[in-house]
Amino acid sequence: MDPAIRFCTSKDGTRLAYAILGRGLPLVHVPGFTMSVEREWEDPEARAWMERIAAERMLVRCDRRGTGASQREVSDVSLGTQVDDLAAVVEHVKAEQVDLFAAYDGVLPALAYTLANPDRVGHLVLFGAFVRGLDANDGESYDALVSLARQNWSLFRRTWAGIGFPSGPPERQRWYSRLVSQTISAEVAVAYLEFMRNGDLSRSIQEVHAPALVLHRERDGYSRPSSGRAVAAQLPNASFIPLPGDIGIPVLGDHSYLERVLEFLRDGRPLRSQELPMHAGLFRTILFTDIVGHTEMMQRLGDTKGRDVLREHERITRDLLKQHGGAEVKTMGDGFMASFGSVTSAMECAIALQRAFAAHTESMPEPLHVRVGLNAGEPIEEDGDLFGATVILASRIAAKAGAGEILVPDTVRGLLSGKNFLFTDRGEFVPKGFEDPVRLYEVRWKP
């Protein structure tokens, strides 16, 4: 059974190649940008992967624009054009509904297509998923890869192969380096790397309601497992499966996970949550707020007027959490605890909060002065609440802040490196319950 290579035309005129194997309901596979169906078919492991799916489904395996047998000379790999590419393939196979299997940077167009065409997508399988804004790296690691691809294409290919096969063997790394050289040019690879660095669906991913299965190698070099967990946590109808190993290519290595994928596609529902601990070890940014002088204000104004001020505080906070993709964990009357998938969004929300309360204080008779503290890590989730050292430290940091201040530890400052936020060193302190000192930074938010 050889793949039947076919061609269609995207909205902007770009010619796209895809292969069809098997019969039945279409499963459209959107691979990472360095893959090619013709080159993969020459490899026994990859061919076995495709044949296993094709035994039950019609596998529609796409070559991304600028790669493989698709048109190589392209100037635009933006999210919009890639969604148009996927739409062109789906239309060409004349399918009323498809399931999608997307890997790595292919996850973004798959999610965006599902958002735009919710009735056309039955199920989503996402391998090595990451979404900028939910990933703690926020794309910083791609800066070095972009520079390397521009300066030394041969070294980039070897480096990219080493990331994909960190444990070897060397023969596999050499094979993959050759595959990349046959699949894509340096210029197009740079364009895809920049797309991976800049593509952001973090604020709309919650609107993807298709049943989803998110798979991630436990030692994946291309995308950390915490990134996959973050994506699964934001999708309303998703499950997460950690996979053993470090091979960053879904068609190679251990294929046993395919049986769980096919079970999911047959059954139509995510696998049981007790089998798949979706929230364990999820990387989050925790934000605490607290009204300065709350007790004195309530004594001065009385319960009724004091409660009116608190309601305004709650309205402002909840509106801004919603705007910046934050999730309210709980309110303590005079403050909030919130969780964010993106450290950048959390910081933008903290600044927006301080600016909103400053504007309120200027225009209203009763001032609202708030202190804010942030921390990032992997809290423990139980019954909708968050616990653990990450949360405790965020609370301790907020307590150190003064009226109108935002404080963060050095770890959060490092995650926000290069994001144009301004910091002032506030020195070290030893939080209660912790042995080691923590260096704090104040965020300068005033225009």
Side-chain angles (χ1 to χ4, degrees):
M1 178 173 57
D2 291 331
I5 306 295
R6 304 184 184 186
F7 295 90
C8 63
T9 304
S10 192
K11 197 175 194 178
D12 66 353
T14 300
R15 294 288 286 168
L16 305 169
Y18 66 93
I20 289 183
L21 295 97
R23 297 180 179 180
L25 296 174
L27 175 64
V28 180
H29 178 208
V30 186
F33 70 92
T34 55
M35 303 305 291
S36 162
V37 65
E38 290 182 299
R39 300 284 78 81
E40 290 173 62
W41 188 252
E42 297 169 358
D43 182 84
E45 275 189 43
R47 186 166 63 248
W49 185 93
M50 288 185 268
E51 288 177 334
R52 177 64 191 94
I53 295 178
E56 294 195 23
R57 303 291 298 269
M58 176 194 288
L59 176 62
V60 182
R61 168 62 175 75
C62 304
D63 276 0
R64 309 276 289 281
R65 61 171 44 220
T67 75
S70 291
Q71 181 177 321
R72 292 293 191 95
E73 299 78 22
V74 295
S75 57
D76 183 3
V77 297
S78 64
L79 182 58
T81 60
Q82 293 188 58
V83 172
D84 290 340
D85 293 351
L86 190 48
V89 172
V90 172
E91 291 299 326
H92 209 247
V93 298
K94 297 180 171 58
E96 293 185 4
Q97 189 176 76
V98 299
D99 296 332
L100 298 180
F101 187 117
Y104 298 106
D105 58 296
V107 166
L108 280 175
L111 289 172
Y113 176 83
T114 306
L115 274 169
N117 303 274
D119 295 334
R120 300 294 293 270
V121 179
H123 307 84
L124 285 167
V125 179
L126 308 177
F127 190 103
F130 63 91
V131 170
R132 185 184 179 275
L134 301 180
D135 187 346
N137 275 332
D138 266 346
E140 287 128 348
S141 59
Y142 293 102
D143 293 337
L145 289 168
V146 166
S147 177
L148 182 60
R150 284 176 171 154
Q151 296 174 18
N152 191 327
W153 177 231
S154 176
L155 180 57
F156 168 83
R157 295 198 314 270
R158 296 196 299 273
T159 301
W160 193 252
I163 297 172
F165 297 90
S167 301
E171 295 78 13
R172 265 301 187 199
Q173 294 174 346
R174 288 192 290 270
W175 170 85
Y176 189 38
S177 178
R178 288 193 300 271
L179 183 147
V180 174
S181 71
Q182 296 165 347
T183 299
I184 193 170
S185 68
E187 293 75 19
V188 176
V190 165
Y192 272 110
L193 288 167
E194 291 178 333
F195 161 72
M196 294 164 73
R197 179 180 59 192
N198 299 322
D200 189 350
L201 281 177
S202 60
R203 295 185 183 178
S204 53
I205 188 174
Q206 297 91 343
E207 302 302 317
V208 177
H209 292 282
L213 195 59
V214 183
L215 311 155
H216 220 108
R217 302 276 192 205
E218 292 176 336
R219 300 188 306 280
D220 196 322
Y222 291 129
S223 171
R224 296 177 306 175
S226 59
S227 300
R229 287 191 177 98
V231 171
Q234 293 296 314
L235 290 169
N237 198 15
S239 296
F240 179 82
I241 299 181
L243 303 177
D246 59 8
I247 295 177
I249 302 171
V251 300
L252 300 178
D254 180 18
H255 291 172
S256 61
Y257 74 87
L258 273 182
E259 300 310 313
R260 303 182 82 175
V261 169
L262 293 169
E263 176 190 347
F264 164 68
L265 295 176
R266 292 186 212 109
D267 189 50
R269 292 178 286 108
L271 303 185
R272 293 191 299 275
S273 59
Q274 61 264 32
E275 295 179 320
L276 310 170
M278 182 169 59
H279 299 296
L282 181 63
F283 193 95
R284 308 294 289 175
T285 300
I286 306 300
L287 178 149
F288 274 90
T289 73
D290 177 54
I291 298 176
V292 178
H294 166 256
T295 302
E296 293 82 355
M297 180 191 74
M298 296 300 292
Q299 291 175 345
R300 185 177 67 255
L301 297 179
D303 290 345
T304 301
K305 291 184 178 179
R307 183 62 194 140
D308 289 341
V309 176
L310 289 179
R311 271 194 289 268
E312 184 66 8
H313 161 254
E314 291 164 2
R315 181 193 64 80
I316 292 171
T317 302
R318 288 186 170 124
D319 285 350
L320 289 173
L321 286 176
K322 184 176 181 181
Q323 290 176 30
H324 291 85
E328 177 184 336
V329 179
K330 57 187 173 184
T331 180
M332 292 75 73
D334 59 344
F336 280 81
M337 174 183 168
S339 170
F340 292 79
S342 162
V343 66
T344 303
S345 297
M347 180 54 67
E348 290 172 346
C349 184
I351 292 172
L353 283 168
Q354 292 294 19
R355 289 176 175 168
F357 289 126
H360 170 93
T361 296
E362 290 178 359
S363 61
M364 301 296 287
E366 185 60 37
L368 266 177
H369 298 299
V370 173
R371 55 171 66 93
V372 178
L374 294 91
N375 189 32
E378 297 185 345
I380 300 166
E381 181 172 352
E382 184 177 314
D383 297 329
D385 204 349
L386 298 177
F387 304 91
T390 297
V391 174
I392 295 170
L393 183 55
S395 176
R396 301 279 192 267
I397 290 170
K400 293 288 290 183
E405 290 184 347
I406 303 169
L407 294 185
V408 302
D410 52 358
T411 51
V412 170
R413 179 179 177 269
L415 290 169
L416 292 168
S417 175
K419 304 293 184 183
N420 297 319
F421 298 112
L422 300 176
F423 300 91
T424 300
D425 191 339
R426 290 282 295 270
E428 292 184 339
F429 86 116
V430 180
K432 181 180 178 181
F434 291 79
E435 295 182 359
D436 297 324
V438 175
R439 182 166 292 277
L440 293 181
Y441 291 85
E442 181 183 349
V443 182
R444 293 158 56 188
W445 57 267
K446 295 180 181 179

